[in-house]
Amino acid sequence: MTTDPRSLLRSMFDAAVASAQPCAVVPAHLPEPPKGRLIVIGAGKASGAMARAVEDNYKGALEGLVITRYGYAVPCERIEIVEAAHPVPDEAGQLAAQRIEALVTGLSEDDLVLCLISGGGSALMPAPAKGLTLADKQVINTALLKSGASIGEMNCVRRHLSTLKGGRLAALCHPARVLTLLISDVPADHLPDIASGPTVADESTCADALAIVARYRIQLPASARTLLESGAGETVKPGDPRLARAEIRLISSPQIGLEAAAVVARAADYGVCILGDSIEGEAREVGQVMAGITRQVAVHGQPLQAPCVLLSGGETTVTVRGNGKGGRNVEFLLALGLALKGQAGVYAMAGDTDGVDGLEEIAGALLTPDTLARARVLGLDPAQSLDNNDGHGFFGALGDAVITGPTLTNINDFRAVLIDPAGVTRQNT
Amino acid sequence: MTTDPRSLLRSMFDAAVASAQPCAVVPAHLPEPPKGRLIVIGAGKASGAMARAVEDNYKGALEGLVITRYGYAVPCERIEIVEAAHPVPDEAGQLAAQRIEALVTGLSEDDLVLCLISGGGSALMPAPAKGLTLADKQVINTALLKSGASIGEMNCVRRHLSTLKGGRLAALCHPARVLTLLISDVPADHLPDIASGPTVADESTCADALAIVARYRIQLPASARTLLESGAGETVKPGDPRLARAEIRLISSPQIGLEAAAVVARAADYGVCILGDSIEGEAREVGQVMAGITRQVAVHGQPLQAPCVLLSGGETTVTVRGNGKGGRNVEFLLALGLALKGQAGVYAMAGDTDGVDGLEEIAGALLTPDTLARARVLGLDPAQSLDNNDGHGFFGALGDAVITGPTLTNINDFRAVLIDPAGVTRQNT
């Protein structure tokens, strides 16, 4: 069997995305109808599709409201789907968050709240803490995204500036039972980080949030600083009795997606090395490290022999310095390509499983052994593109952007490096 | 067998260093005495010990001069050993370089030059190109070391500002035969990068050097800029007839060192994964990526099951922002420790095989699961230490510095992460 490396990489990405489709993974986790009411709430890029999967498969009466990203709504009949902005929150999200708050207030012990959470829920369900405005949260979110802080660090700050995050939504539901179905898009599936953990107890503190703000020199509005310094932004801590009836189930995750991609690679006779489902770090540096591991495969057959694929997930970081059209995955690919210098037989694909890498409606891109040569022909300088954070401009010009449209799910980034020097030799002869 | 992880990591490091000891690896490569004279020259941290190994084992007459770092000389009888400064060159190095130049000028076809090259040779044998002063080279070297440029990029600039580098020393030896024995300390054993390749043809150009200078915004003295812009700094290119009788042999390398460490780990029943002999990138980011791979081993048993060791070599980069006592390896360890947050059963060691990490006379350090806890007791903030590039201050205060003294060889950095959660459980019960 001859497999085109580009098609194989794309199939692996598609398999990872498919493993996290709500219609496939939600039904098995639906609860028995409760004695009282079933209220469906939630927020995230996958939460519209999760709501649809609930409606299609749940046997009892239900009502509810779920927030998803603009363009991510799917037709529902009984659960209202509200669209809002991501990654910087807007008023639509704030109004919907207030309605969710109202929906779960005053419930009884017989009621059950089914909470459908997925990545992006943090921005989509903005609930500024007392004294903060939505504008404040927008300013803070923009500053966080540009700061170079990791996703875990950004979420720690966000959790302490909200009335719903860090377990406070579940506390509001009390005394009703709460069942949360989670599609994880965060490093190590750390539950308080998924959509800033609205139904999950949180060990981090206002002091932790302040330390992060100081470390990355983030300019906070005075009201936000006061909130953190006074401790008024504190989250719900483990052991809190209001969370005694809150259950969490992880139904999709980066690791499950990587394993699905590995099945595709193995079927095409490639060895597979999963390096991590939660690789973090500055995207361009992660690209350099991955180039080092790629060289080791090619030169020394370690950690495994070619032909093989190196897989990794998790969320890298981009410290924005330029004004190009960028994203974590294309930034990673540019750095990888520069470090590999057109190494024969090495292909790569990196993309965000939600279909959106950065602010562009592009999932990611493909790198081939001749990417640099083709760029030169077009007069593109990859080092300059990288310095300008212009990954989408670069790969778009080459025709190597990967465009999926909204995938309606999100298990974070997907990176695959395919190393097959012999395959290239075959193609050349 | 119970093995203390700290001792095991240290034994692995020692095995890597031992694999590159000149007395062990030089003798097998000594030439038969030539018809004419044998001239021994060279420069590098290992070159004094290499000269000693030549004297002890070569059967014919010889003479020569070799430059090594202050404190790295070993007693020799027939080969003169000159000590000079590293990493910023000094006048002692420059005078010795001029004497080497004189030694190899005017040789005949019957003569043989034995050139003993190892890491550090670039700074130790400064030969400013026409129009440049030693002070210029010092300024340039200091700027390069602080710029964030990779070792390959730094060497590309250096090669084009010298009269001996980039193959020009071998060209001077012409028509004599030249045999170069190399101990590699550079990524992928790229020959023009080892001591800036004085006997190796070089494909890079003045234009490449200028692009690097522009990219990292390095301030060049006007004379250096003129040299690059006029093309007068051009190196000797592949195919140049003056290099037809120049032979290169790689006798020690990072990969050979990692394999030696792997033998030690396997003997103690640890699995081994060699991730790369030439991992590059900003040290703190490499630490974060390594933490991600470590989590994957601990949580998912990938890329291999614990107990195991992740090994890597190569040279990371530190962009200096603080004024602490830093080095690449302790910077890596600090970032790794911060990302792992005291993860049970994870130990690490990182060090420079030459015994000197950065400007401190400390080889590296050890990280243990309780490093962060012990630091807190001492009032040390690891995040602050990292921001201040104060790795040596941090690990020194904890008593976890690894001090070897000069090892008299150099196969670049050595990093090992040992993951053994069960071992910790056993110790705790």
Side-chain angles (χ1 to χ4, degrees), chain A residues 93-303:
Chain A
Q94 186 181 15
L95 291 173
Q98 287 164 357
R99 290 180 57 204
I100 285 178
E101 220 173 312
L103 262 177
V104 300
T105 302
L107 297 181
S108 83
E109 280 186 15
D110 293 336
D111 299 326
L112 171 57
V113 176
L114 180 60
C115 186
L116 307 174
I117 296 293
S118 54
S122 189
L124 293 169
M125 187 168 57
K130 214 180 156 190
L132 284 189
T133 64
L134 181 64
D136 289 334
K137 299 238 354 175
Q138 288 167 334
V139 167
I140 294 164
N141 230 31
T142 305
L144 283 170
L145 287 168
K146 284 192 179 174
S147 68
S150 73
I151 181 69
E153 290 169 326
M154 288 196 269
N155 283 339
C156 174
V157 176
R158 289 173 180 148
R159 279 199 299 278
H160 292 88
L161 297 173
S162 159
T163 59
L164 290 182
K165 281 145 198 177
R168 277 174 287 203
L169 177 58
L172 276 180
C173 297
H174 179 81
R177 207 186 125 208
V178 180
L179 172 62
T180 303
L181 304 187
L182 280 178
I183 295 184
S184 166
D185 70 329
V186 303
D189 305 326
H190 184 234
L191 301 179
D193 281 339
I194 305 171
S196 295
T199 59
V200 180
D202 173 39
E203 288 189 333
S204 75
T205 63
C206 284
D208 295 331
L210 277 170
I212 293 161
V213 165
R215 178 137 196 245
Y216 293 96
R217 295 177 180 78
I218 295 161
Q219 294 294 327
L220 277 192
S223 49
R225 180 165 290 280
T226 307
L227 201 77
L228 295 179
E229 285 172 350
S230 68
E234 213 42 272
T235 50
V236 179
K237 296 291 167 260
D240 189 299
R242 293 171 296 171
L243 266 53
R245 300 186 71 210
E247 183 193 349
I248 311 279
R249 288 192 208 158
L250 189 68
I251 63 172
S252 297
S253 71
Q255 177 69 15
I256 293 169
L258 293 173
E259 297 281 8
V263 169
V264 173
R266 288 193 194 103
D269 287 330
Y270 284 78
V272 173
C273 177
I274 300 183
L275 287 166
D277 67 351
S278 62
I279 299 289
E280 293 180 89
E282 183 75 21
R284 66 178 68 198
E285 305 292 332
V286 177
Q288 247 199 327
V289 174
M290 206 60 77
I293 302 174
T294 300
R295 279 194 297 268
Q296 191 71 7
V297 171
V299 178
H300 299 292
Q302 297 169 331

Side-chain angles (χ1 to χ4, degrees), chain A residues 30-61:
Chain A
L30 290 178
E32 288 302 309
K35 212 166 144 188
R37 296 158 65 199
L38 181 81
I39 315 281
V40 180
I41 58 172
K45 295 178 195 168
S47 297
M50 291 171 88
R52 175 81 247 174
V54 172
E55 279 204 2
D56 286 348
N57 295 280
Y58 180 71
K59 291 181 190 69

Side-chain angles (χ1 to χ4, degrees), chain B residues 270 290 293-295 297-298 304-310 343-347 417-422:
Chain B
Y270 284 78
M290 206 59 78
I293 302 174
T294 300
R295 280 194 297 269
V297 171
L304 78 174
Q305 296 280 348
C308 67
V309 179
L310 302 175
Q343 192 172 327
V346 180
Y347 298 76
V417 184
L418 182 155
I419 305 145
D420 186 11

Side-chain angles (χ1 to χ4, degrees), chain A residues 150 188 215 255 259 273-282 284-286 288-289 292-293 295-296 300 302-303 321 338 383 386-387, chain B residues 150 188 215 255 259 273-282 284-286 288-289 292-293 295-296 300 302-303 321 338 383 386-387:
Chain A
S150 73
R215 178 137 196 245
Q255 177 69 15
E259 297 281 8
C273 177
I274 300 183
L275 287 166
D277 67 351
S278 62
I279 299 289
E280 293 180 89
E282 183 75 21
R284 66 178 68 198
E285 305 292 332
V286 177
Q288 247 199 327
V289 174
I293 302 174
R295 279 194 297 268
Q296 191 71 7
H300 299 292
Q302 297 169 331
R321 293 198 182 85
L338 277 165
L386 181 58
D387 287 348
Chain B
S150 73
R215 179 141 195 242
Q255 177 69 14
E259 297 281 7
C273 176
I274 300 183
L275 288 166
D277 67 349
S278 63
I279 300 288
E280 293 180 271
E282 183 75 21
R284 67 177 68 199
E285 305 292 332
V286 177
Q288 247 198 328
V289 174
I293 302 174
R295 280 194 297 269
Q296 191 72 7
H300 298 293
Q302 297 169 329
R321 294 199 181 86
L338 277 164
L386 181 57
D387 287 347

Side-chain angles (χ1 to χ4, degrees), chain B residues 38-63:
Chain B
L38 181 81
I39 314 280
V40 180
I41 59 172
K45 295 178 193 168
S47 298
M50 290 171 88
R52 175 81 247 173
V54 173
E55 279 204 2
D56 287 348
N57 295 279
Y58 181 70
K59 291 181 189 73
L62 58 80
E63 62 193 297

Side-chain angles (χ1 to χ4, degrees), chain B residues 354-367:
Chain B
D354 69 0
V356 181
D357 184 41
L359 291 168
E360 301 296 313
E361 297 289 328
I362 300 168
L366 279 156
L367 180 80

